[in-house]
Amino acid sequence: MYDSPDMLQPGEHAPEFVLPDHNGAQARLSDLAGRWVVLWWYAKAATEG
């Protein structure tokens, strides 16, 4: 299950990344250090857009 070289292993820290938030502002993972972070995404094919 965890044999891909690109996949994080349990207990590893996520690499730094920047994504737009729901308002279009840039959100950095490092800005959320020490807080719980949940990433939620879904396939565009599952939306009306």
Side-chain angles (χ1 to χ4, degrees), residues 11-49:
E12 286 185 318
H13 289 217
E16 175 67 14
F17 61 84
V18 179
L19 295 171
D21 68 11
H22 62 283
N23 293 316
Q26 293 205 343
R28 295 182 177 280
L29 181 61
S30 58
D31 292 341
L32 303 171
R35 299 170 61 186
W36 284 91
V37 177
V38 176
L39 300 177
W40 178 41
W41 68 93
Y42 48 89
K44 186 174 181 178
T47 69
E48 295 177 12

